[in-house]
C-alpha cells in the first residue's frame, strides 16, 4: 500500500513533459510480437502496467531490454503461449496478447484479464471476432484457450459496440491473417490510429483507422521497426486539471492538442486561461472557478471517459452545479465517496454524479478506488484546506510514472507517508 500526505493550498508553477500514452504503449508492446526481429519503442514511461507488460513478454519467450526510455522487444526464439494468472490479473492490457500469440503460434491461454473495476468489462467482442477468423475457444478452470492450428483468416465483422480493446485485438489478428478483413463499427480513439500506423510501418496494410470502418489486407510477415508512441492525452488532462484546482501557471510540453481539446475548453469555461502554442500549452488558473458543467463521456470523439473523474475534481471547486454522466462504464465514479469525505456535495445517480461545486473542501483520509479515480482524489486534495492522507493499492502508479513526484516538482505539497 502506498500512502501520500497532501497539504492543500499550494499553487502550481512550472513545466511538465507529457509522456507516451499508456493506452498506446500497452497494445504496441503486444503488437511487437507480430513482427520478425526487433521492435524499438521510444520514450516509454516505466509505469507499473508497462513493467507488467515486460514481464508478460519475457514469460512468452520474447527478449526485453531498456536503454534509457527506449524499450526494445525481440521476437521469441521459443514460445510459451500460456499467460499466468498473476500477470493476466494485474492489468486489462493482458488481453492484447490474445491475438498476436494466437497468430504466431496457433494457440494462446489467458486467465481473465484484471484492471480497474469500472463495472462489468466483458471481452466477448474480442473472442467473437477471433472465432470468426477461425479460432476455436475452450474454457477450463476460469482460463480461456484459443486454438487456430491452421492460422487465422480474414473476415467481415461488425462490432456490436465500438470497444477500443476489441478493435485493437482484431486489427492485430487481421494484420497477418490470410486474406482481407473488413471491420465495421470500430472504435476511433487516437491510440487505435497509433497502433495501425505502427503496424503499417512494419509492413501491414491497414486502412481507415481513426474512422468507423477499417480494412486490412493480411500480410504473411511483418518486420520489427522503431516507433515513438503518441503522447498521453489523459496525463495531459491530469496536469491541466491539477493546475486548475490548485491555481497557478503550468506549461504542458509535448501536449496532444486535438485530443485534449474538450477538457481544456471545459477549463476555460470555468475561468482558466489556456494559451495554445505549437507543441505546448500553458494553463493559468486564478484558483477560484465558476460556472459548473454538463459533461457526458462517450466513445471518441466524445468527452473521454478517463478524463471524467479528473473533470469531477475540478468541478468540485467551481461555483455552480455540474452533472457528469458516463455512457461506457457503470462504476466510473467510485471516487465520489472520497470526494464526499473531503466535504464535497456529490450525489450519485444512475450513470453518473451531480456536484454542487464551490463549497470548501477539507483534507481527509481517502483511498484510491481505481487509477483515474485515485488521480482525481489527488487533484481534489490539492484544492482542500488541511491535510489529506491518500492510500493507494498500486492503482495510480499503473498509469503514471510518478504522479505525486511530478506534482511536487510543480510546487504541490505532497510527500510519501509511512505506513502506520
Ligand atoms: N465491452 C464489451 N465487450 C467487449 C469489450 C468491451 O461489452 O468485448 C464493453 C465494456 O464492458 C465497457 C465498454 O465496452 O463497458 C468499453 O470498453 P472498451 O473495450 O472500449 O475499453 P477497454 O479496451 O477495456 C480502454 C482503455 C481504458 C479506457 C477505455 C475507453 C486500455 C488498456 N484501456 O479500455 O483505459 O477507459 O478503453 O476509452 O487501453 C485507463 O487508462 O484508466 C483505462 C481504464
Amino acid at each position: 500500500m502506498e500512502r501520500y500526505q497532501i497539504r492543500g493550498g499550494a499553487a502550481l508553477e512550472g513545466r511538465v513533459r507529457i509522456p507516451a500514452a499508456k493506452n498506446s504503449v500497452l497494445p504496441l508492446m503486444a503488437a511487437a510480437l507480430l513482427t520478425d526481429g526487433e521492435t524499438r519503442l521510444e520514450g516509454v514511461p516505466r509505469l507499473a502496467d508497462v513493467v507488467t507488460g515486460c514481464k508478460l513478454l519475457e514469460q512468452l519467450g520474447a527478449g526485453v531490454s531498456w536503454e534509457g526510455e527506449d524499450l526494445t522487444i525481440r521476437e521469441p526464439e521459443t514460445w510459451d503461449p500460456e499467460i499466468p494468472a498473476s500477470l493476466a490479473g494485474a492489468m486489462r492490457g493482458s488481453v492484447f496478447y490474445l491475438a498476436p500469440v494466437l497468430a504466431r503460434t496457433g494457440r494462446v491461454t489467458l486467465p481473465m484479464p484484471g484492471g480497474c473495476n469500472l463495472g462489468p468489462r466483458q471481452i466477448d467482442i474480442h473472442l467473437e471476432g477471433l472465432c470468426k477468423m477461425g479460432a476455436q475457444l475452450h474454457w477450463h478452470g476460469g482460463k480461456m484457450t484459443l486454438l487456430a492450428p491452421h492460422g487465422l483468416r480474414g473476415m467481415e465483422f461488425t462490432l456490436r459496440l465500438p470497444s477500443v480493446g476489441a478493435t485493437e485485438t482484431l486489427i492485430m489478428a487481421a494484420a497477418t491473417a490470410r486474406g482481407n478483413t473488413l471491420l465495421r463499427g470500430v472504435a476511433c480513439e487516437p491510440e487505435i490510429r497509433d497502433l495501425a500506423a505502427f503496424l503499417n510501418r512494419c509492413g501491414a496494410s491497414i486502412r481507415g483507422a481513426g474512422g468507423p470502418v477499417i480494412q486490412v489486407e493480411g500480410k504473411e510477415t511483418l518486420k520489427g521497426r522503431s516507433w515513438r508512441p503518441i503522447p498521453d492525452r489523459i496525463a495531459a488532462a491530469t496536469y491541466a486539471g491539477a493546475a486548475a484546482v490548485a491555481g497557478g501557471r503550468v506549461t504542458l510540453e509535448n501536449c496532444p492538442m486535438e485530443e485534449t481539446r474538450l477538457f481544456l475548453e471545459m477549463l476555460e469555461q470555468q475561468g482558466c486561461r489556456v494559451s495554445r502554442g505549437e507543441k505546448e500549452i500553458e494553463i493559468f488558473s486564478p484558483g477560484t472557478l465558476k460556472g459548473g458543467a454538463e459533461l457526458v463521456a462517450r466513445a471518441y470523439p466524445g468527452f473521454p471517459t478517463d478524463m471524467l473523474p479528473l473533470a469531477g475534481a475540478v468541478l468540485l471547486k467551481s461555483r455552480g452545479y455540474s452533472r457528469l454522466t458516463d455512457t461506457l462504464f457503470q462504476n466510473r465514479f467510485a471516487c465520489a465517496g472520497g470526494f464526499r469525505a473531503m466535504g464535497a456535495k456529490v450525489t450519485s445517480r444512475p450513470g453518473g454524479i451531480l456536484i454542487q461545486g464551490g463549497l470548501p473542501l477539507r483534507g481527509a483520509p481517502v483511498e484510491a478506488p481505481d487509477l483515474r479515480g485515485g488521480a482525481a482524489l489527488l487533484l481534489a486534495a490539492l484544492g482542500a484546506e488541511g491535510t489529506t492522507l491518500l492510500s493507494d493499492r498500486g492503482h495510480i502508479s499503473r498509469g503514471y510514472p510518478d504522479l505525486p513526484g511530478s506534482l511536487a516538482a510543480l510546487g504541490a505539497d505532497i510527500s510519501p507517508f509511512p505506513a502506520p
Side-chain angles (χ1 to χ4, degrees), residues 305-319:
T305 169
D306 293 312
M307 294 184 194
L308 208 52
L310 307 168
V314 172
L315 294 165
L316 298 180
K317 297 288 287 177
S318 172
R319 259 183 293 129

Side-chain angles (χ1 to χ4, degrees), residues 22-23 26 92 96 118 120-126 160-165 189 305-306 328-329 332 371-372:
K22 165 183 87 83
N23 290 344
L26 295 179
R92 180 73 179 171
F96 297 134
L118 303 174
R121 296 184 75 176
Q122 301 180 57
I123 57 166
D124 58 305
I125 307 172
H126 303 242
R160 78 174 162 78
L161 56 85
S163 154
V164 175
E189 268 67 2
T305 169
D306 293 312
L328 299 171
F329 294 113
R332 182 42 99 182
L371 166 52
R372 307 304 170 186

Side-chain angles (χ1 to χ4, degrees), residues 37-326:
E38 275 189 11
T39 291
R40 186 179 168 91
L41 299 177
E42 297 170 357
V44 173
R46 275 192 221 203
L47 31 88
D49 274 5
V50 168
V51 173
T52 303
C54 289
K55 288 185 188 152
L56 223 150
L57 285 165
E58 284 174 331
Q59 167 72 30
L60 292 164
V64 171
S65 57
W66 288 92
E67 206 182 309
E69 289 199 326
D70 297 346
L71 174 64
T72 299
I73 300 163
R74 277 175 305 281
E75 169 190 22
E77 280 170 21
T78 15
W79 289 81
D80 177 357
E82 182 121 0
I83 297 170
S86 56
L87 295 176
M91 65 168 181
R92 180 73 179 171
S94 55
V95 76
F96 297 134
Y97 290 82
L98 276 180
V101 179
L102 182 63
R104 292 302 296 265
T105 70
R107 174 192 180 96
V108 61
T109 297
L110 179 77
M112 258 323 263
C116 290
N117 177 13
L118 303 174
R121 296 184 75 176
Q122 301 180 57
I123 57 166
D124 58 305
I125 307 172
H126 303 242
L127 297 175
E128 193 191 341
L130 291 173
C131 289
K132 201 153 182 218
M133 298 180 92
Q136 299 143 25
L137 171 65
H138 304 274
W139 285 95
H140 46 100
K143 297 185 199 174
M144 66 199 95
T145 290
L146 285 160
L147 299 174
H150 307 297
L152 297 170
R153 53 171 191 270
M155 54 143 186
E156 287 192 20
F157 184 65
T158 302
L159 281 67
R160 78 174 162 78
L161 56 85
S163 154
V164 175
T167 303
E168 291 166 336
T169 287
L170 297 178
I171 288 177
M172 288 192 271
T176 57
R178 271 192 322 279
N180 298 335
T181 295
L182 182 63
L183 301 171
R184 293 199 183 85
V186 295
C188 305
E189 268 67 2
E191 293 77 15
I192 291 166
R193 276 199 316 265
D194 203 32
L195 174 66
F198 163 71
L199 287 170
N200 284 343
R201 174 86 164 265
C202 298
S205 171
I206 302 165
R207 281 180 293 147
V213 178
I214 292 180
Q215 287 172 284
V216 186
E217 190 191 318
K219 300 283 181 187
E220 208 164 306
T221 55
L222 303 179
K223 178 96 187 74
R225 298 270 182 238
S226 292
W227 192 253
R228 182 169 286 274
I230 55 172
D232 195 325
R233 57 197 170 114
I234 310 163
T238 306
Y239 292 109
V245 170
R249 193 183 299 275
V250 169
T251 301
L252 309 182
E253 298 170 7
N254 191 36
C255 182
M257 300 292 167
E258 179 51 28
E259 290 76 10
T260 46
R261 186 174 55 79
L262 295 176
F263 193 86
L264 295 173
E265 284 174 4
M266 182 275 295
L267 294 187
E268 286 178 309
Q269 280 157 16
Q270 310 312 313
C272 297
R273 244 190 3 250
V274 180
S275 319
R276 294 163 175 83
E278 203 173 294
K279 277 227 153 167
E280 54 181 50
I281 281 178
E282 184 191 82
I283 292 122
F284 168 76
S285 165
T288 49
L289 305 174
K290 59 173 189 285
E294 163 101 42
L295 299 174
V296 183
R298 299 184 202 281
Y300 194 84
F303 194 92
T305 169
D306 293 312
M307 294 184 194
L308 208 52
L310 307 168
V314 172
L315 294 165
L316 298 180
K317 297 288 287 177
S318 172
R319 259 183 293 129
Y321 286 86
S322 296
R323 182 197 297 263
L324 274 56
T325 308
D326 196 319

Side-chain angles (χ1 to χ4, degrees), residues 335-351:
C335 57
F339 287 162
R340 281 192 283 266
M342 295 165 103
K345 265 214 140 150
V346 176
T347 317
S348 298
R349 55 180 193 86

